[in-house]
Structures are given as C-alpha cells and as structure tokens.
Amino acid sequence: MSLVIRPAVSSDAEMIFSFVSGLIDDHLPGQTPWTSAERIEADGFGPDPLFEALIAEREGKPVGFVSFFRGYAGWRGKPMGIVHALYVMPEERRTGAAKALMAAAARIALDRGWLRVELFVEEGRSAIHFYEAIGMSDLHHRHMRLEGEALIRLANNTL
C-alpha cells in the first residue's frame, strides 16, 4: 500500500480540522476543539498564510498531516521551520506515515535554506521516542506560554 505525501490545499481544511480534533482528543480526551474548519481555511490558505500543511494519503485515503511555519533562529541569523502539529490516524500509526510526513517537511526546510526544524512535545509523551528515532535532539528546554489574563496584565504593565 503506497503512501503519498502532498501539499494541503484549501479544500482540505475540513479534513485538517478532523485531524486537529483527533490530536486534541489524544491529548485532552473529550475536549472540544478551539478552532474550526473555516478558521483553518482562512489561516492556512488565505492571502497571508500562517502555516503550511502536508497530507499523507494511503490509496487515496487521508491518514495524517503535518503543519509547520517558518520561524527565525535569532542566534544564528537564519530561517528555520517549526512543526506545529503532526497527527496520524490511530490505525495508521507505526506504518511509516509520520516519518514520511516529517521527511517531507525536512526536504522543504532544506530546499528553502532553513537551518533546522523544531517542535514542542509535552514531557512524558511517547512521541518523544519517535522524534529521537528520526534524529531530533531533546533539548530539555521548557516550553513557556503567556496567554489570557497574564498576557493582558503584562501588556498593560508600564514599567
């Protein structure tokens, strides 16, 4: 059964939403998604796309996706890729689909002259072993977030 990786197009927004919903359910079972297919279509396929995505298909059936965006490695002064989400349907896991998606993202990074590809993984997730197996390094950095009321309070701070 051959696997094909292709760039996502705007008509894939509903499918990407279903994959994002699956990813959310993997991490927070029962949680309602905070986005929509319409939001994904506007953000990924509008005049100023905020992300790109690749779709994995086996025999014409979508089985997973990876989304990423360009970032900047300030210390090196070079662009880099940041993977936002990687999801493969449960019945397709351990078939090579995730590795093929990451390999396609890596080829895009090289083609565009990006220094590296990074992503964030929650501590204790089994995905860490997959990422290490494909050659990614665990930097043991903490992923920090500023949002909601804390974001507003800091933004309004007039030091």
Side-chain angles (χ1 to χ4, degrees), residues 68-149:
F68 58 94
F69 56 92
R70 188 180 72 167
Y72 187 67
W75 288 11
R76 300 280 180 95
K78 302 266 186 190
M80 66 179 193
I82 301 171
V83 170
H84 169 259
L86 173 65
Y87 179 79
V88 172
M89 297 172 67
E91 62 273 16
E92 286 286 332
R93 293 178 185 164
R94 300 188 188 284
T95 66
K99 184 176 182 180
L101 284 162
M102 289 298 293
R107 282 190 296 279
I108 288 170
L110 288 176
D111 289 348
R112 295 179 183 176
W114 294 355
L115 177 67
R116 62 182 178 242
V117 173
E118 293 187 355
L119 55 80
F120 300 102
V121 155
E122 294 173 18
E123 277 190 57
R125 301 296 295 186
S126 61
I128 292 170
H129 301 295
F130 163 75
Y131 293 121
E132 290 175 333
I134 64 169
M136 296 188 91
S137 302
D138 186 348
L139 302 177
H140 301 284
H141 290 215
R142 292 194 59 182
H143 182 187
M144 305 297 288
R145 178 176 291 158
L146 183 64
E147 66 182 351
E149 289 299 317

Side-chain angles (χ1 to χ4, degrees), residues 7-78:
V9 295
S10 64
S11 59
D12 291 321
E14 188 68 45
M15 176 189 20
I16 293 171
F17 174 72
S18 72
F19 287 149
V20 169
S21 297
L23 186 60
I24 291 169
D25 198 52
D26 280 355
H27 289 261
L28 301 166
Q31 174 63 53
T32 302
W34 298 279
T35 190
S36 66
E38 294 77 19
R39 182 82 262 148
I40 288 169
E41 184 173 7
D43 290 345
F45 305 99
D48 184 22
L50 299 175
F51 69 91
E52 295 177 63
L54 301 172
I55 305 293
E57 294 179 335
R58 191 173 308 280
E59 298 185 6
K61 177 187 173 212
V63 298
F65 90 113
V66 63
S67 65
F68 58 94
F69 56 92
R70 188 180 72 167
Y72 187 67
W75 288 11
R76 300 280 180 95
K78 302 266 186 190

